[in-house]
């Protein structure tokens, strides 16, 4: 390959973005993190496709409502939510999803407004392993290099035998302009998004919809990235959606 062609391939590869839900159940999970007990993040849930296998993450924001990413929803499929478990496939308690409310402005081509609220079939009882998380109302400023926690389940190897424990990684906010340069200056990174991590610490497939937090306040929802662990991941910005979330919960 000529150097110019190689450079073009390299540049183009940065534009090849993937959502972070699972395409198959054996993708890698949180990159560069460590396992944690559910008591350290009792607001984290596993969203199960067809009620059977882990598909996306989510967070408890109210006794009967869970927040996740809009791109995690697949039409004509049934979802269940597992709460209170550190192991992805056992323990805790399963609930049916009674209602899915995708943000009306969600764009499945650009991933803009990538947020969705799920109403559970009954109210949760809160305790050490099941609890809600507060949402950022602009109190937490997402300045460059502010450290955040990303939490989710996922396999630690692409194939084969895996640990299925909940994992967490601490990642820095990456300045939006820098992130725009990395993803291409085509408005891919909108005001509804922010970037964080990369360089060996990142979220990956299967972490979509899961919470990004700072000191027990949720500031983001895992949305998409290009590859895993090399360049920053992209997250939906909670502060932009705060009003819509409150209103939707009140009306549902
Ligand atoms: C999920 O359910 C749908 C419809 O009931 C079915 O077509 C599909 O094959 C199921 N997917 C899996 C992975 O079980
Ligand atoms: C809610 O869904 C769960 C899981 O399918 C089920 O066990 C439970 O009985 C349901 N609760 C109600 C009130 O229907
Ligand atoms: C994306 O959204 C458009 C319009 O809302 C819809 O027609 C299309 O089927 C969607 N594509 C996917 C892959 O969900
Ligand atoms: C990340 O989570 C750990 C506990 O799992 C906590 O000690 C730490 O303060 C958290 N960091 C941030 C930035 O929230």
């Amino acid at each position: 390959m000529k150097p110019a062609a190689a450079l073009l391939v390299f540049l183009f590869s940065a534009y090849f973005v993937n959502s972070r839900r699972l395409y198959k159940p054996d993708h890698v999970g949180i990159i560069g993190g460590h396992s944690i007990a559910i008591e350290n993040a009792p607001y984290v849930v596993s969203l199960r496709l067809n009620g059977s296998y882990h598909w996306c993450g989510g967070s408890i924001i109210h006794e009967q409502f869970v927040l996740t990413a809009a791109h995690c929803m697949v039409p004509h499929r049934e979802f269940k939510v597992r709460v209170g478990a550190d192991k992805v496939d056992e323990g805790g308690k399963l609930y049916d999803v009674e209602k899915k409310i995708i943000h009306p402005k969600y764009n499945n081509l650009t991933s803009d407004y990538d947020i969705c609220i799920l109403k559970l079939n009954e109210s949760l009882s809160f305790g050490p392993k099941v609890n809600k998380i507060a949402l950022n109302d602009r109190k937490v400023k997402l300045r460059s290099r502010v450290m955040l926690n990303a939490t989710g389940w996922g396999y630690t190897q692409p194939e084969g035998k895996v640990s299925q424990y909940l994992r967490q990684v601490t990642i820095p906010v990456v300045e939006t302009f820098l992130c725009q340069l990395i993803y291409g200056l085509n408005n891919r990174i909108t005001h509804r998004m922010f970037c964080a991590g990369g360089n060996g610490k990142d979220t990956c497939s299967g972490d979509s919809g899961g919470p990004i937090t700072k000191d027990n306040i949720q500031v983001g929802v895992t949305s998409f990235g290009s590859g895993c662990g090399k360049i920053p991941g992209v997250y939906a910005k909670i502060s932009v959606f705060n009003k819509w979330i409150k209103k939707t919960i009140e009306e549902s």
Side-chain angles (χ1 to χ4, degrees), residues 34 36 40-41 147-149 168 170 213-216:
H34 56 275
I36 61 162
N40 293 321
M147 299 308 282
L148 307 174
N149 275 341
Q168 186 170 72
T170 304
T213 57
K214 177 167 176 57
D215 304 332
N216 288 319

Side-chain angles (χ1 to χ4, degrees), residues 9 96 115 119 160 167 169 181 210 244:
V9 168
D96 290 344
I115 201 155
K119 187 177 188 187
R167 294 173 77 80
V169 66
L181 284 180
W244 177 76

